[in-house]
Amino acid sequence: MHFFPMRPHHWFIFITLIGLLASIGYFACLNGIGERVDHYNSFDDPAYTSKPKEEKYNFNGVHVINTRFMQHQPNLRVLGLARIALFETLCLPSIVSQTNQHFLWVIRADPNLNPELRQKMINLLAPHQNFIFIGSNYNPAPGGFGRSKRKLNQQARFEKYLLDQKVPEENNNTLSVGGNNTAIAAQASLWSGNISLLREAFDKSAADDEILLETRLDADDGLHRDFVQTVQEESVKYLIPQNTSSISKKELERFWRIWCIDANIQWHPISHKEVTSQEGFLVEEYDNICVTPGLTHGFGAASHRSTIPKYNGHGQLVKIIEQCKGSSLEQSCVARLKSLYPGAIRARTATSAGMVGVLTRDESGDNKQDNEQEELWKSIHNGFSISILEVRKTRDLMIDRASEIAAENLSGQCTEGLSCKDEARKKLEKLIQNGLKV
């Protein structure tokens, strides 16, 4: 075997390469340790990673997600900052990471919202043109996006949707703003988002051959990454009749459907245990009622809000409207999205208006899922793109400032459109007095 003699500059190159390879191995090792220490922050596990589905159905309709933020509570700064933390940690990443981005997200906040809170929300939403941030305390009922039996032209309907001004019943009557989208945006306090996209979708939803989906999402909740894709696929499957020529208009009005999340996971800053993990505590829930996150009203081309039976709150929905039963009942019913697990994450903190399910230190909580926390956190991270590090920061905020948050929440109770329950008031008073000691 023959060896070529190495000159001095060859040795220099050789040693440099060895050092470079050693450095790469060293940093790769550090990275591996980091992943093991905080393994929830990796998307590498194929068992939990959500992938975009192959599109089985061609959805060409309009899908609007509606969210309310600090309506009728414009100057509760501490409460608002806490709610923004929950929004940024749980809600926003779940919508940004949707595998199907064919939707509009309309967020309505009090028109007089504290400037600091307003700017923080604008900074979070501004990169996304289809995220519409409006200063408005008006919340249209489901089916109110572009569709109405009122005798108004589409321009007047759009202005009413944004401005909630009184509109006369006469045909072709518009409001005083005029037809200019820029003028409407200024009058409506459009703080972020593309009003042209909103107007285009609004007009499209009124067409005779389009599906309209309206989804509800609270600002402290999140939806599974495949939610939009799943509900749109189902809407095409169930809301478009095979042969419209043989179906009467009355029959076409029956082509509506309501979807609810089946399983959700609740996030608590504390648990029944004396020492809760840095991430807080997760509880899996299967509700008999339709919970608010992901509650979606779907309208076929001829249906609208008046074709759905009236019900008093989402808790009464399944009592009033029959549940879907496979091929025997596919329209005019309530369906559960069982293919999404978990379908939603819901925050249970002192920011809640109703305080339902919020734990205080004198409550036992649920210890049945102590041994399932790691798996639940994996499903939350991978199904919702939620950062566990951000969850820890938000938990610290909820605990450190629990008394202040509860005090402002209490002062905002019983304001227009918000909860006014004695049980909520008592819980908030306990939190004001005792905080959340850990």
Side-chain angles (χ1 to χ4, degrees):
M1 183 177 291
H2 298 280
F3 295 94
F4 292 95
M6 295 186 68
R7 297 177 181 178
H9 68 278
H10 291 157
W11 281 108
F12 175 78
I13 295 172
F14 177 76
I15 293 171
T16 302
L17 287 172
I18 292 296
L20 179 61
L21 290 172
S23 298
I24 292 171
Y26 173 75
F27 286 111
C29 179
L30 283 182
N31 186 52
I33 292 172
E35 286 182 357
R36 288 194 292 274
V37 171
D38 192 12
H39 58 276
Y40 297 125
N41 286 300
S42 170
F43 280 94
D44 295 337
D45 190 343
Y48 294 97
T49 301
S50 174
K51 296 181 176 63
K53 297 180 180 179
E54 294 182 8
E55 194 165 329
K56 300 178 182 178
Y57 302 96
N58 183 23
F59 179 83
N60 193 36
V62 175
H63 190 173
V64 182
I65 300 174
N66 293 302
T67 297
R68 307 174 188 181
F69 180 76
M70 299 298 289
Q71 288 182 320
H72 305 287
Q73 297 178 324
N75 297 312
L76 301 180
R77 178 180 173 274
V78 174
L79 178 63
L81 289 172
R83 286 178 174 169
I84 288 176
L86 289 170
F87 177 81
E88 185 175 7
T89 301
L90 303 180
C91 188
L92 182 61
S94 78
I95 301 302
V96 171
S97 66
Q98 286 295 311
T99 55
N100 180 339
Q101 289 289 315
H102 181 61
F103 63 88
L104 287 174
W105 190 12
V106 178
I107 302 167
R108 293 174 180 263
D110 193 288
N112 299 310
L113 186 64
N114 174 287
E116 179 187 3
L117 303 180
R118 181 176 69 240
Q119 191 57 52
K120 283 182 178 292
M121 288 292 288
I122 290 172
N123 292 343
L124 292 171
L125 298 169
H128 310 278
Q129 289 292 294
N130 60 322
F131 295 1
I132 313 296
F133 188 33
I134 304 172
S136 172
N137 285 324
Y138 171 54
N139 299 299
F145 187 83
R147 294 193 183 185
S148 175
K149 296 189 75 174
R150 296 187 64 189
K151 296 178 180 180
L152 297 171
N153 69 12
Q154 199 64 1
Q155 176 67 27
R157 289 175 182 168
F158 184 61
E159 292 180 13
K160 177 170 175 56
Y161 172 79
L162 287 178
L163 305 173
D164 188 31
Q165 295 185 13
K166 298 295 182 182
V167 183
E169 293 287 349
E170 291 83 4
N171 268 325
N172 301 318
N173 188 18
T174 60
L175 303 182
S176 58
V177 179
N180 187 296
N181 281 345
T182 303
I184 298 171
Q187 182 72 17
S189 298
L190 184 79
W191 293 327
S192 183
N194 189 325
I195 192 172
S196 296
L197 284 179
L198 184 66
R199 177 61 190 270
E200 180 183 348
F202 189 88
D203 291 345
K204 185 177 181 179
S205 70
D208 293 336
D209 58 349
E210 298 294 352
I211 292 174
L212 170 63
L213 299 176
E214 291 184 280
T215 295
R216 181 172 171 182
L217 178 64
D218 290 346
D220 58 354
D221 297 336
L223 294 173
H224 191 283
R225 297 172 67 212
D226 290 330
F227 173 84
V228 169
Q229 177 70 18
T230 301
V231 77
Q232 288 186 8
E233 284 183 355
E234 291 211 359
S235 72
V236 175
K237 182 178 179 180
Y238 294 113
L239 299 183
I240 298 179
Q242 296 297 317
N243 186 4
T244 56
S245 61
S246 62
I247 302 177
S248 68
K249 184 177 179 181
K250 190 69 175 177
E251 289 176 306
L252 283 174
E253 288 184 348
R254 295 190 67 256
F255 279 79
W256 58 265
R257 188 177 172 106
I258 297 174
W259 286 271
C260 302
I261 292 299
D262 188 45
N264 70 88
I265 289 181
Q266 298 181 356
W267 176 70
H268 299 265
I270 63 172
S271 70
H272 62 281
K273 299 183 289 187
E274 289 188 9
V275 179
T276 306
S277 71
Q278 289 179 291
E279 295 83 30
F281 194 73
L282 298 177
V283 178
E284 180 187 54
E285 292 284 343
Y286 286 86
D287 290 284
N288 292 324
I289 65 170
C290 282
V291 296
T292 53
L295 176 59
T296 300
H297 291 72
F299 302 90
S303 60
H304 41 78
R305 73 172 72 174
S306 62
T307 58
I308 296 180
K310 293 182 179 180
Y311 59 89
N312 185 24
H314 63 95
Q316 298 294 315
L317 196 154
V318 294
K319 297 179 181 180
I320 303 297
I321 300 174
E322 194 171 358
Q323 297 202 39
C324 301
K325 299 175 182 177
S327 59
S328 63
L329 183 62
E330 296 181 337
Q331 292 86 29
S332 304
C333 56
V334 180
R336 300 236 176 225
L337 294 169
K338 294 185 178 182
S339 63
L340 298 177
Y341 176 82
I345 182 170
R346 309 174 72 192
R348 289 289 180 251
T349 71
T351 62
S352 169
M355 295 295 289
V356 177
V358 177
L359 295 179
T360 56
R361 270 294 172 210
D362 58 348
E363 295 173 300
S364 60
D366 185 352
N367 63 356
K368 296 178 182 178
Q369 297 177 30
D370 284 1
N371 298 325
E372 300 174 11
Q373 292 300 296
E374 182 172 338
E375 293 302 308
L376 291 174
W377 278 114
K378 282 183 178 180
S379 67
I380 288 302
H381 174 66
N382 291 287
F384 298 78
S385 301
I386 289 173
S387 163
I388 306 304
L389 293 177
E390 293 303 316
V391 170
R392 291 171 183 168
K393 294 176 186 177
T394 300
R395 176 180 179 265
D396 289 344
L397 172 66
M398 296 299 156
I399 291 173
D400 294 343
R401 307 195 70 173
S403 295
E404 296 172 81
I405 294 168
E408 287 204 350
N409 195 355
L410 183 62
S411 70
Q413 290 282 300
C414 302
T415 52
E416 185 178 346
L418 297 172
S419 177
C420 191
K421 299 176 182 177
D422 189 54
E423 181 184 353
R425 180 182 58 78
K426 289 178 180 178
K427 276 194 173 185
L428 288 169
E429 287 173 348
K430 285 182 182 179
L431 285 172
I432 293 169
Q433 183 176 355
N434 302 323
L436 285 177
K437 300 173 184 178
V438 293

